[in-house]
Amino acid sequence: MLNIWDAYWGLEIEQCPCDVHFVEWLEEQRLTGKRIYHFGTGGHHYVGMRCAEPALDNTVLGITASPQEYESFIKLATENPTLTKTYSAYFGDIYTSNARLLPRFDIVTLFHCGEFRSEKNDAYGALTDLEVMKLFADQTDAGGHILFYTGSYAYDIPERLIADWMKSCPVEEVEGFKTLRIFRKTA
């Protein structure tokens, strides 16, 4: 069985502000026209909806492991078909990602890295957290950014892996923003 998140996550800024902080960072950096991969859409789909606004004009491909959150995307897309010109979400386990199925990105959010990996994923040969970090660094174009959320309850997992990840991937840490730790792809 696929390891899923059997819950619906609404926009709870006090508990999990990463999506709001991410959009604020995009605005502060004036990053528009970017191709974004977003790990963990939430049922609110905040990043996808905000990035679709003309002031940001970014495209977002988001993943959710929650059937309820995916159903909320279907409802959102059905009611707002023009949104799907810049935002798409898919249901799946990020730990089964395959580079041949992914486009190139300018920005990747790995806000929930470490939160969903367990022995359940091992049953179907899923990637590890470090392998996911490497895969998405490889899918990010030079000069692009990869972001982590330091407020995640499982942030200690990517935090432990970042030194090894930096040795194997051409990335450098740049100035963070609020709860976000940010790396730039150098090559």
Side-chain angles (χ1 to χ4, degrees):
M1 293 286 290
L2 185 71
N3 188 20
I4 66 168
W5 177 255
D6 193 19
Y8 176 96
W9 187 266
L11 189 60
E12 299 179 30
I13 298 168
E14 296 78 27
Q15 188 174 357
C16 184
C18 56
D19 288 359
V20 172
H21 289 172
F22 176 60
V23 171
E24 290 173 354
W25 175 75
L26 291 171
E27 291 171 330
E28 182 182 278
Q29 299 294 311
R30 296 191 170 111
L31 294 171
T32 63
K34 301 300 181 188
R35 300 160 297 163
I36 299 169
Y37 184 87
H38 184 51
F39 176 13
T41 64
H44 49 76
H45 299 279
Y46 181 82
V47 169
M49 290 192 308
R50 287 295 314 278
C51 284
E53 294 173 3
L56 284 174
D57 189 32
N58 292 308
T59 57
V60 177
L61 176 61
I63 186 170
T64 180
S66 163
Q68 299 92 324
E69 291 175 5
Y70 186 62
E71 288 170 13
S72 72
F73 170 73
I74 293 170
K75 183 176 187 302
L76 181 67
T78 302
E79 294 172 357
N80 305 290
T82 58
L83 179 66
T84 62
K85 292 179 179 183
T86 59
Y87 176 48
S88 187
Y90 68 102
F91 172 77
D93 178 352
I94 195 169
Y95 297 101
T96 62
S97 295
N98 182 330
R100 293 181 300 167
L101 292 171
L102 294 169
R104 304 293 303 169
F105 299 105
D106 299 302
I107 302 170
V108 170
T109 70
L110 294 177
F111 295 160
H112 303 292
C113 188
E115 293 180 5
F116 301 107
R117 185 67 172 82
S118 73
E119 67 282 345
K120 292 178 184 178
N121 305 83
D122 292 334
Y124 47 88
L127 301 173
T128 65
D129 287 295
L130 182 58
E131 289 170 329
V132 164
M133 291 164 62
K134 288 178 180 180
L135 170 69
F136 282 95
D138 289 345
Q139 291 305 120
T140 304
D141 283 346
H145 295 88
I146 302 145
L147 295 87
F148 297 89
Y149 170 49
T150 62
S152 164
Y153 69 86
Y155 176 67
D156 64 307
I157 295 170
E159 185 176 40
R160 275 194 322 266
L161 300 172
I162 284 173
D164 288 336
W165 175 66
M166 290 181 73
K167 289 176 188 170
S168 63
C169 296
V171 294
E172 65 181 358
E173 189 162 8
V174 297
E175 183 178 355
F177 182 83
K178 296 187 178 181
T179 60
L180 308 179
R181 190 167 177 190
I182 305 171
F183 296 83
R184 181 175 36 240
K185 181 92 177 275
T186 57

